[in-house]
Amino acid sequence: MLNALREPPRARATLGHVLRGIPVTVADGLRLGGRDALVRRLLLSAGAAGSALAAIELLTPGRAAALTGASESGAVLVAAIACAGFICSGVGSHLAPLTARLAGGGERAVMVSLGISASGLLLLGATAAATGTIPLVLAATGYGLVYLGFGAAGPSENELLHRRVTRAGRTTALSVQSLALQLVAALTGLIVGVLPPGPLPWLLGGTALLAGALLWIHRSEPTPTSPPPSPQPHTVSPSPTTVGSDLHHSDTDQ
């Protein structure tokens, strides 16, 4: 396998080269998003996902500790919840092709999937101040919906980006997409830290994710494709003496 998948040789990168390339990559990605509405939606959706992930990952440990009554048992519950989240994400990724078929395309699938995640996060916010078995079951359902939707949205988003961006700009687009997620997640973390405990911090991430889903209501224009070259008629020279003349005229026309 290692012999079959050989990487082509690449130029050796230095630390200075990498640092100088960061603002260039960000600027190229922003220009790409400014020119293409679909890429812009993908970047904004990544930011919305970052806000939701920051809210759920920052607030879940405290909620688990309050539920179990101790930080140690809360940590065990968080580990179990994280494992369940990975399982739900994997199931969502497995259902991504079915979601795209039922929704009528990749863009609609992203809207539906992010809507599912947003509904799960809003459900977590609605049950944040409630106690009892039913709110607990609803909260667990909401948590599963968050990661199920993220798992279903990821493959469709990757396919849309792959088809929309050329090979030369694909790495830049992926880097800026990840940067948008992390920057918005960091900003959401700062806001969550100053909000009062209760439903409001959860609703912040859910509202951001719902806004990211609503970006996909209107479909984008199809990716322009260049028409295939029309075949040129092939003429056969009547005699060997006219071959040179035909080649000369062909070169002149090109």
Side-chain angles (χ1 to χ4, degrees):
M1 179 65 71
L2 295 177
N3 292 331
L5 300 176
R6 294 182 178 178
E7 282 286 333
R10 302 175 183 272
R12 188 172 183 178
T14 62
L15 178 61
H17 177 75
V18 172
L19 294 177
R20 288 192 299 269
I22 292 175
V24 176
T25 300
V26 173
D28 290 342
L30 293 177
R31 281 195 295 267
L32 181 62
R35 293 193 303 265
D36 195 305
L38 180 60
V39 177
R40 186 163 58 250
R41 290 183 187 182
L42 289 170
L43 297 179
L44 292 174
S45 297
S51 178
L53 288 172
I56 198 170
E57 292 180 2
L58 287 172
L59 298 172
T60 298
R63 188 164 179 175
L67 179 64
T68 60
S71 58
E72 294 81 5
S73 55
V76 175
L77 180 58
V78 168
I81 290 175
C83 181
F86 280 113
I87 294 174
C88 291
S89 179
V91 172
S93 297
H94 181 72
L95 296 176
L98 177 61
T99 305
R101 287 196 299 269
L102 294 178
E107 295 185 35
R108 296 288 179 172
V110 173
M111 180 185 68
V112 172
S113 301
L114 294 182
I116 292 173
S117 294
S119 65
L121 199 53
L122 293 175
L123 191 59
L124 282 167
T127 58
T131 57
T133 303
I134 294 179
L136 179 61
V137 172
L138 292 177
T141 303
Y143 190 90
L145 289 176
V146 170
Y147 284 94
L148 183 71
F150 280 146
S156 295
E157 290 176 334
N158 292 337
E159 181 188 13
L160 291 171
L161 186 65
H162 178 82
R163 293 182 179 275
R164 198 73 171 193
V165 181
T166 62
R167 182 179 180 182
R170 200 165 293 148
T171 303
T172 298
L174 288 172
S175 299
V176 176
Q177 186 182 27
S178 176
L179 184 62
L181 186 149
Q182 295 176 30
L183 287 177
V184 178
L187 179 61
T188 302
L190 295 175
I191 298 174
V192 166
V194 299
L195 290 177
L200 193 57
W202 295 93
L203 297 178
L204 172 64
T207 303
L209 195 55
L210 182 61
L214 294 177
L215 292 172
W216 298 92
I217 291 180
H218 301 291
R219 296 193 181 188
S220 303
E221 297 180 358
T223 306
T225 56
S226 56
S230 57
Q232 297 181 354
H234 177 69
T235 57
V236 180
S237 301
S239 63
T241 57
T242 60
V243 172
S245 177
D246 288 342
L247 292 176
H248 174 73
H249 287 298
S250 176
D251 293 339
T252 305
D253 295 337
Q254 294 177 356

